[in-house]
PDB file of all heavy atoms in Angstrom:
ATOM      1  N   ARG A 152    -115.938 -11.686 136.907  1.00 96.00           N
ATOM      2  CA  ARG A 152    -117.117 -10.934 136.458  1.00 96.00           C
ATOM      3  C   ARG A 152    -118.078 -10.706 137.619  1.00 96.00           C
ATOM      4  O   ARG A 152    -118.665  -9.636 137.779  1.00 96.00           O
ATOM      5  CB  ARG A 152    -117.823 -11.676 135.355  1.00 96.00           C
ATOM      6  CG  ARG A 152    -118.938 -10.917 134.687  1.00 96.00           C
ATOM      7  CD  ARG A 152    -119.473 -11.522 133.474  1.00 96.00           C
ATOM      8  NE  ARG A 152    -120.519 -10.784 132.882  1.00 96.00           N
ATOM      9  CZ  ARG A 152    -121.195 -11.130 131.783  1.00 96.00           C
ATOM     10  NH1 ARG A 152    -120.884 -12.298 131.162  1.00 96.00           N
ATOM     11  NH2 ARG A 152    -122.115 -10.389 131.260  1.00 96.00           N
ATOM     12  N   SER A 153    -118.203 -11.764 138.491  1.00 96.00           N
ATOM     13  CA  SER A 153    -119.116 -11.590 139.622  1.00 96.00           C
ATOM     14  C   SER A 153    -118.545 -10.532 140.564  1.00 96.00           C
ATOM     15  O   SER A 153    -119.369  -9.742 141.105  1.00 96.00           O
ATOM     16  CB  SER A 153    -119.193 -12.975 140.379  1.00 96.00           C
ATOM     17  OG  SER A 153    -119.893 -12.839 141.593  1.00 96.00           O
ATOM     18  N   ASP A 154    -117.257 -10.478 140.795  1.00 96.00           N
ATOM     19  CA  ASP A 154    -116.729  -9.439 141.681  1.00 96.00           C
ATOM     20  C   ASP A 154    -117.005  -7.974 141.182  1.00 96.00           C
ATOM     21  O   ASP A 154    -117.387  -7.154 141.920  1.00 96.00           O
ATOM     22  CB  ASP A 154    -115.201  -9.605 141.755  1.00 96.00           C
ATOM     23  CG  ASP A 154    -114.765 -10.801 142.606  1.00 96.00           C
ATOM     24  OD1 ASP A 154    -115.595 -11.263 143.385  1.00 96.00           O
ATOM     25  OD2 ASP A 154    -113.609 -11.225 142.491  1.00 96.00           O
ATOM     26  N   LEU A 155    -116.831  -7.843 139.884  1.00 96.00           N
ATOM     27  CA  LEU A 155    -117.115  -6.492 139.340  1.00 96.00           C
ATOM     28  C   LEU A 155    -118.618  -6.148 139.369  1.00 96.00           C
ATOM     29  O   LEU A 155    -118.978  -5.001 139.538  1.00 96.00           O
ATOM     30  CB  LEU A 155    -116.564  -6.383 137.909  1.00 96.00           C
ATOM     31  CG  LEU A 155    -115.056  -6.522 137.757  1.00 96.00           C
ATOM     32  CD1 LEU A 155    -114.608  -6.316 136.302  1.00 96.00           C
ATOM     33  CD2 LEU A 155    -114.331  -5.568 138.688  1.00 96.00           C
ATOM     34  N   ARG A 156    -119.463  -7.157 139.188  1.00 95.00           N
ATOM     35  CA  ARG A 156    -120.891  -6.924 139.366  1.00 95.00           C
ATOM     36  C   ARG A 156    -121.221  -6.495 140.796  1.00 95.00           C
ATOM     37  O   ARG A 156    -122.115  -5.638 140.951  1.00 95.00           O
ATOM     38  CB  ARG A 156    -121.651  -8.194 139.013  1.00 95.00           C
ATOM     39  CG  ARG A 156    -121.825  -8.387 137.492  1.00 95.00           C
ATOM     40  CD  ARG A 156    -122.499  -9.732 137.211  1.00 95.00           C
ATOM     41  NE  ARG A 156    -122.865  -9.911 135.762  1.00 95.00           N
ATOM     42  CZ  ARG A 156    -123.258 -11.019 135.271  1.00 95.00           C
ATOM     43  NH1 ARG A 156    -123.373 -12.148 136.022  1.00 95.00           N
ATOM     44  NH2 ARG A 156    -123.553 -11.151 134.009  1.00 95.00           N
ATOM     45  N   LYS A 157    -120.600  -7.098 141.767  1.00 95.00           N
ATOM     46  CA  LYS A 157    -120.798  -6.710 143.153  1.00 95.00           C
ATOM     47  C   LYS A 157    -120.423  -5.237 143.381  1.00 95.00           C
ATOM     48  O   LYS A 157    -121.114  -4.523 144.038  1.00 95.00           O
ATOM     49  CB  LYS A 157    -120.053  -7.641 144.087  1.00 95.00           C
ATOM     50  CG  LYS A 157    -120.510  -9.067 144.167  1.00 95.00           C
ATOM     51  CD  LYS A 157    -119.620  -9.890 145.054  1.00 95.00           C
ATOM     52  CE  LYS A 157    -120.170 -11.364 145.129  1.00 95.00           C
ATOM     53  NZ  LYS A 157    -119.238 -12.186 145.957  1.00 95.00           N
ATOM     54  N   LEU A 158    -119.298  -4.843 142.787  1.00 96.00           N
ATOM     55  CA  LEU A 158    -118.856  -3.489 142.896  1.00 96.00           C
ATOM     56  C   LEU A 158    -119.816  -2.504 142.182  1.00 96.00           C
ATOM     57  O   LEU A 158    -120.036  -1.402 142.642  1.00 96.00           O
ATOM     58  CB  LEU A 158    -117.453  -3.280 142.427  1.00 96.00           C
ATOM     59  CG  LEU A 158    -116.347  -4.056 143.208  1.00 96.00           C
ATOM     60  CD1 LEU A 158    -114.970  -3.812 142.584  1.00 96.00           C
ATOM     61  CD2 LEU A 158    -116.418  -3.643 144.652  1.00 96.00           C
ATOM     62  N   GLU A 159    -120.432  -3.020 141.087  1.00 96.00           N
ATOM     63  CA  GLU A 159    -121.429  -2.254 140.409  1.00 96.00           C
ATOM     64  C   GLU A 159    -122.673  -2.059 141.246  1.00 96.00           C
ATOM     65  O   GLU A 159    -123.222  -0.997 141.381  1.00 96.00           O
ATOM     66  CB  GLU A 159    -121.789  -2.905 139.075  1.00 96.00           C
ATOM     67  CG  GLU A 159    -122.830  -2.095 138.271  1.00 96.00           C
ATOM     68  CD  GLU A 159    -123.198  -2.813 136.995  1.00 96.00           C
ATOM     69  OE1 GLU A 159    -123.074  -4.041 136.944  1.00 96.00           O
ATOM     70  OE2 GLU A 159    -123.690  -2.137 136.041  1.00 96.00           O
ATOM     71  N   SER A 160    -123.093  -3.146 141.880  1.00 94.00           N
ATOM     72  CA  SER A 160    -124.307  -3.084 142.774  1.00 94.00           C
ATOM     73  C   SER A 160    -124.061  -2.147 143.985  1.00 94.00           C
ATOM     74  O   SER A 160    -125.062  -1.562 144.446  1.00 94.00           O
ATOM     75  CB  SER A 160    -124.638  -4.477 143.213  1.00 94.00           C
ATOM     76  OG  SER A 160    -123.658  -4.974 144.191  1.00 94.00           O
ATOM     77  N   ALA A 161    -122.811  -2.036 144.372  1.00 94.00           N
ATOM     78  CA  ALA A 161    -122.524  -1.158 145.519  1.00 94.00           C
ATOM     79  C   ALA A 161    -122.365   0.332 145.084  1.00 94.00           C
ATOM     80  O   ALA A 161    -122.190   1.226 145.968  1.00 94.00           O
ATOM     81  CB  ALA A 161    -121.212  -1.619 146.178  1.00 94.00           C
ATOM     82  N   GLY A 162    -122.527   0.574 143.794  1.00 94.00           N
ATOM     83  CA  GLY A 162    -122.424   1.956 143.285  1.00 94.00           C
ATOM     84  C   GLY A 162    -121.035   2.427 143.100  1.00 94.00           C
ATOM     85  O   GLY A 162    -120.752   3.633 142.859  1.00 94.00           O
ATOM     86  N   ILE A 163    -120.014   1.501 143.140  1.00 96.00           N
ATOM     87  CA  ILE A 163    -118.646   1.905 142.965  1.00 96.00           C
ATOM     88  C   ILE A 163    -118.245   1.937 141.547  1.00 96.00           C
ATOM     89  O   ILE A 163    -117.480   2.832 141.062  1.00 96.00           O
ATOM     90  CB  ILE A 163    -117.716   0.924 143.746  1.00 96.00           C
ATOM     91  CG1 ILE A 163    -117.947   1.086 145.243  1.00 96.00           C
ATOM     92  CG2 ILE A 163    -116.234   1.211 143.456  1.00 96.00           C
ATOM     93  CD1 ILE A 163    -117.248   0.047 146.126  1.00 96.00           C
ATOM     94  N   LEU A 164    -118.769   0.989 140.795  1.00 96.00           N
ATOM     95  CA  LEU A 164    -118.414   0.877 139.346  1.00 96.00           C
ATOM     96  C   LEU A 164    -119.661   1.113 138.470  1.00 96.00           C
ATOM     97  O   LEU A 164    -120.773   0.899 138.913  1.00 96.00           O
ATOM     98  CB  LEU A 164    -117.819  -0.489 139.009  1.00 96.00           C
ATOM     99  CG  LEU A 164    -116.452  -0.778 139.557  1.00 96.00           C
ATOM    100  CD1 LEU A 164    -116.084  -2.238 139.172  1.00 96.00           C
ATOM    101  CD2 LEU A 164    -115.380   0.169 139.062  1.00 96.00           C
ATOM    102  N   HIS A 165    -119.410   1.507 137.195  1.00 95.00           N
ATOM    103  CA  HIS A 165    -120.444   1.603 136.217  1.00 95.00           C
ATOM    104  C   HIS A 165    -119.987   0.874 134.925  1.00 95.00           C
ATOM    105  O   HIS A 165    -118.853   0.981 134.618  1.00 95.00           O
ATOM    106  CB  HIS A 165    -120.758   3.053 135.871  1.00 95.00           C
ATOM    107  CG  HIS A 165    -121.136   3.900 137.034  1.00 95.00           C
ATOM    108  ND1 HIS A 165    -122.418   3.945 137.671  1.00 95.00           N
ATOM    109  CD2 HIS A 165    -120.343   4.695 137.862  1.00 95.00           C
ATOM    110  CE1 HIS A 165    -122.422   4.755 138.664  1.00 95.00           C
ATOM    111  NE2 HIS A 165    -121.192   5.184 138.834  1.00 95.00           N
ATOM    112  N   LYS A 166    -120.917   0.145 134.331  1.00 95.00           N
ATOM    113  CA  LYS A 166    -120.501  -0.638 133.233  1.00 95.00           C
ATOM    114  C   LYS A 166    -120.291   0.228 131.964  1.00 95.00           C
ATOM    115  O   LYS A 166    -121.037   1.146 131.720  1.00 95.00           O
ATOM    116  CB  LYS A 166    -121.591  -1.697 132.878  1.00 95.00           C
ATOM    117  CG  LYS A 166    -121.103  -2.773 131.883  1.00 95.00           C
ATOM    118  CD  LYS A 166    -122.134  -3.872 131.690  1.00 95.00           C
ATOM    119  CE  LYS A 166    -121.656  -4.884 130.716  1.00 95.00           C
ATOM    120  NZ  LYS A 166    -122.627  -5.997 130.573  1.00 95.00           N
ATOM    121  N   LEU A 167    -119.198  -0.060 131.226  1.00 93.00           N
ATOM    122  CA  LEU A 167    -118.986   0.644 129.956  1.00 93.00           C
ATOM    123  C   LEU A 167    -119.690  -0.113 128.839  1.00 93.00           C
ATOM    124  O   LEU A 167    -119.552  -1.289 128.679  1.00 93.00           O
ATOM    125  CB  LEU A 167    -117.442   0.679 129.695  1.00 93.00           C
ATOM    126  CG  LEU A 167    -116.625   1.662 130.566  1.00 93.00           C
ATOM    127  CD1 LEU A 167    -115.135   1.400 130.343  1.00 93.00           C
ATOM    128  CD2 LEU A 167    -116.919   3.082 130.099  1.00 93.00           C
ATOM    129  N   GLU A 168    -120.400   0.635 128.058  1.00 90.00           N
ATOM    130  CA  GLU A 168    -121.161   0.080 126.929  1.00 90.00           C
ATOM    131  C   GLU A 168    -120.313   0.148 125.629  1.00 90.00           C
ATOM    132  O   GLU A 168    -119.502   1.088 125.470  1.00 90.00           O
ATOM    133  CB  GLU A 168    -122.540   0.689 126.783  1.00 90.00           C
ATOM    134  CG  GLU A 168    -123.375   0.656 128.067  1.00 90.00           C
ATOM    135  CD  GLU A 168    -123.792  -0.783 128.446  1.00 90.00           C
ATOM    136  OE1 GLU A 168    -123.711  -1.676 127.602  1.00 90.00           O
ATOM    137  OE2 GLU A 168    -124.163  -0.942 129.594  1.00 90.00           O
ATOM    138  N   ASP A 169    -120.682  -0.744 124.730  1.00 85.00           N
ATOM    139  CA  ASP A 169    -120.068  -0.665 123.359  1.00 85.00           C
ATOM    140  C   ASP A 169    -118.570  -0.692 123.333  1.00 85.00           C
ATOM    141  O   ASP A 169    -117.916   0.079 122.609  1.00 85.00           O
ATOM    142  CB  ASP A 169    -120.585   0.566 122.692  1.00 85.00           C
ATOM    143  CG  ASP A 169    -122.113   0.629 122.556  1.00 85.00           C
ATOM    144  OD1 ASP A 169    -122.698  -0.385 122.297  1.00 85.00           O
ATOM    145  OD2 ASP A 169    -122.670   1.747 122.678  1.00 85.00           O
ATOM    146  N   VAL A 170    -117.956  -1.570 124.223  1.00 81.00           N
ATOM    147  CA  VAL A 170    -116.565  -1.729 124.156  1.00 81.00           C
ATOM    148  C   VAL A 170    -116.265  -3.250 123.848  1.00 81.00           C
ATOM    149  O   VAL A 170    -117.181  -4.090 124.062  1.00 81.00           O
ATOM    150  CB  VAL A 170    -115.841  -1.371 125.430  1.00 81.00           C
ATOM    151  CG1 VAL A 170    -115.983   0.208 125.622  1.00 81.00           C
ATOM    152  CG2 VAL A 170    -116.408  -2.016 126.652  1.00 81.00           C
ATOM    153  N   GLY A 171    -115.107  -3.562 123.424  1.00 81.00           N
ATOM    154  CA  GLY A 171    -114.797  -4.934 122.995  1.00 81.00           C
ATOM    155  C   GLY A 171    -114.910  -5.977 124.171  1.00 81.00           C
ATOM    156  O   GLY A 171    -115.478  -7.046 123.995  1.00 81.00           O
ATOM    157  N   GLN A 172    -114.386  -5.615 125.347  1.00 88.00           N
ATOM    158  CA  GLN A 172    -114.424  -6.530 126.445  1.00 88.00           C
ATOM    159  C   GLN A 172    -115.344  -5.965 127.537  1.00 88.00           C
ATOM    160  O   GLN A 172    -115.526  -4.788 127.590  1.00 88.00           O
ATOM    161  CB  GLN A 172    -113.001  -6.734 127.028  1.00 88.00           C
ATOM    162  CG  GLN A 172    -111.988  -7.304 126.071  1.00 88.00           C
ATOM    163  CD  GLN A 172    -110.688  -7.582 126.740  1.00 88.00           C
ATOM    164  OE1 GLN A 172    -110.602  -8.359 127.655  1.00 88.00           O
ATOM    165  NE2 GLN A 172    -109.646  -6.923 126.274  1.00 88.00           N
ATOM    166  N   ILE A 173    -115.810  -6.856 128.383  1.00 93.00           N
ATOM    167  CA  ILE A 173    -116.705  -6.425 129.515  1.00 93.00           C
ATOM    168  C   ILE A 173    -115.843  -5.607 130.405  1.00 93.00           C
ATOM    169  O   ILE A 173    -114.888  -6.097 131.017  1.00 93.00           O
ATOM    170  CB  ILE A 173    -117.376  -7.598 130.176  1.00 93.00           C
ATOM    171  CG1 ILE A 173    -118.259  -8.361 129.194  1.00 93.00           C
ATOM    172  CG2 ILE A 173    -118.216  -7.132 131.357  1.00 93.00           C
ATOM    173  CD1 ILE A 173    -118.911  -9.630 129.840  1.00 93.00           C
ATOM    174  N   SER A 174    -116.208  -4.348 130.517  1.00 95.00           N
ATOM    175  CA  SER A 174    -115.430  -3.363 131.283  1.00 95.00           C
ATOM    176  C   SER A 174    -116.296  -2.508 132.192  1.00 95.00           C
ATOM    177  O   SER A 174    -117.434  -2.252 131.825  1.00 95.00           O
ATOM    178  CB  SER A 174    -114.575  -2.506 130.393  1.00 95.00           C
ATOM    179  OG  SER A 174    -113.854  -3.311 129.450  1.00 95.00           O
ATOM    180  N   TYR A 175    -115.727  -2.013 133.203  1.00 95.00           N
ATOM    181  CA  TYR A 175    -116.360  -1.099 134.136  1.00 95.00           C
ATOM    182  C   TYR A 175    -115.451   0.072 134.434  1.00 95.00           C
ATOM    183  O   TYR A 175    -114.242  -0.072 134.214  1.00 95.00           O
ATOM    184  CB  TYR A 175    -116.699  -1.803 135.465  1.00 95.00           C
ATOM    185  CG  TYR A 175    -117.711  -2.942 135.290  1.00 95.00           C
ATOM    186  CD1 TYR A 175    -117.252  -4.191 134.887  1.00 95.00           C
ATOM    187  CD2 TYR A 175    -119.034  -2.784 135.644  1.00 95.00           C
ATOM    188  CE1 TYR A 175    -118.163  -5.288 134.747  1.00 95.00           C
ATOM    189  CE2 TYR A 175    -119.908  -3.834 135.506  1.00 95.00           C
ATOM    190  CZ  TYR A 175    -119.477  -5.076 135.065  1.00 95.00           C
ATOM    191  OH  TYR A 175    -120.357  -6.134 134.966  1.00 95.00           O
ATOM    192  N   TYR A 176    -115.971   1.185 134.908  1.00 93.00           N
ATOM    193  CA  TYR A 176    -115.157   2.316 135.283  1.00 93.00           C
ATOM    194  C   TYR A 176    -115.687   2.942 136.500  1.00 93.00           C
ATOM    195  O   TYR A 176    -116.870   2.839 136.850  1.00 93.00           O
ATOM    196  CB  TYR A 176    -114.983   3.292 134.119  1.00 93.00           C
ATOM    197  CG  TYR A 176    -116.229   4.227 133.962  1.00 93.00           C
ATOM    198  CD1 TYR A 176    -116.200   5.569 134.336  1.00 93.00           C
ATOM    199  CD2 TYR A 176    -117.417   3.773 133.394  1.00 93.00           C
ATOM    200  CE1 TYR A 176    -117.267   6.393 134.196  1.00 93.00           C
ATOM    201  CE2 TYR A 176    -118.520   4.599 133.241  1.00 93.00           C
ATOM    202  CZ  TYR A 176    -118.433   5.919 133.598  1.00 93.00           C
ATOM    203  OH  TYR A 176    -119.475   6.730 133.493  1.00 93.00           O
ATOM    204  N   CYS A 177    -114.839   3.612 137.230  1.00 95.00           N
ATOM    205  CA  CYS A 177    -115.275   4.381 138.412  1.00 95.00           C
ATOM    206  C   CYS A 177    -115.263   5.857 138.061  1.00 95.00           C
ATOM    207  O   CYS A 177    -114.173   6.500 138.020  1.00 95.00           O
ATOM    208  CB  CYS A 177    -114.285   4.078 139.577  1.00 95.00           C
ATOM    209  SG  CYS A 177    -114.712   4.986 141.079  1.00 95.00           S
ATOM    210  N   SER A 178    -116.431   6.423 137.903  1.00 92.00           N
ATOM    211  CA  SER A 178    -116.587   7.826 137.543  1.00 92.00           C
ATOM    212  C   SER A 178    -116.078   8.747 138.633  1.00 92.00           C
ATOM    213  O   SER A 178    -115.538   9.876 138.385  1.00 92.00           O
ATOM    214  CB  SER A 178    -118.024   8.189 137.118  1.00 92.00           C
ATOM    215  OG  SER A 178    -118.886   7.899 138.247  1.00 92.00           O
ATOM    216  N   SER A 179    -116.267   8.302 139.927  1.00 93.00           N
ATOM    217  CA  SER A 179    -115.893   9.211 141.017  1.00 93.00           C
ATOM    218  C   SER A 179    -114.389   9.449 141.056  1.00 93.00           C
ATOM    219  O   SER A 179    -113.921  10.566 141.244  1.00 93.00           O
ATOM    220  CB  SER A 179    -116.364   8.553 142.352  1.00 93.00           C
ATOM    221  OG  SER A 179    -117.740   8.369 142.387  1.00 93.00           O
TER     222      SER A 179
END
């Protein structure tokens, strides 16, 4: 989870809301 948060902070990932598991996606 910490790794994905780091990628979110770097602007690489965005968190997906209202899904069953904590998930992120790369819109680019």
